[in-house]
Amino acid sequence: MIILDTGATRALADGHKTLNLLAGNMARTPGDLLRIPAACLMQAESQDAEAARRVLAFSSVVVDPLDTVAAVSVGTMIRDGYGGADTCHALYCALPRAEFGGMSILLTDREQNYPPGVVTVDIDSPGMLGFH
């Protein structure tokens, strides 16, 4: 599962070349989706009017809801000092879940905000899509 945090969501909305290429490629592959945690989408929209509209225009983008279990877990993470609502919702989405096999990858522009053990990839790293 590939997750975009607030920074990656804003970058996609702003036309980030690599993220746009990734979203386009995933749209052509059935079952491949980019997941944006609802709190990250909310934060991106609060910082940039119409960011949500621009990212949701990609057919490969889905929103991971902040349901009851997620809300309790994210609230606990915030209380325990892991960051704000958007960071903690992205972290929650990156944790192993029964409905998704394999390891999640969290795309971000702020890798330092996530604890060790979370697989993060900087959206501006030269090898993000295999380009060097």
Side-chain angles (χ1 to χ4, degrees):
M1 177 166 64
I2 299 178
I3 303 157
L4 279 68
D5 75 354
T6 301
T9 299
R10 288 202 55 207
L12 178 62
D14 291 341
H16 187 280
K17 183 179 177 181
T18 307
L19 289 175
N20 274 261
L21 182 60
L22 177 63
N25 287 341
M26 291 185 86
R28 290 188 289 275
T29 309
D32 281 347
L33 299 170
L34 295 172
R35 294 192 168 276
I36 300 176
C40 294
L41 184 64
M42 175 192 68
Q43 186 66 28
E45 181 66 22
S46 73
Q47 296 170 352
D48 177 12
E50 307 225 356
R53 181 187 58 78
R54 293 191 305 270
V55 298
L56 294 175
F58 288 99
S59 63
S60 59
V61 171
V62 296
V63 177
D64 204 277
L66 188 62
D67 61 17
T68 306
V69 173
V72 171
S73 299
V74 169
T76 301
M77 288 179 195
I78 294 168
R79 185 187 65 230
D80 290 347
Y82 284 96
D86 61 329
T87 300
C88 289
H89 194 194
L91 180 58
Y92 170 80
C93 290
L95 296 174
R97 296 196 234 176
E99 64 266 27
F100 299 110
M103 181 70 80
S104 295
I105 299 170
L106 180 57
L107 300 181
T108 183
D109 63 347
R110 49 198 170 119
E111 288 182 291
Q112 71 280 1
N113 287 6
Y114 298 98
V118 177
V119 179
T120 58
V121 175
D122 188 307
I123 59 171
D124 292 318
S125 65
M128 189 174 112
L129 287 178
F131 303 126
H132 299 286

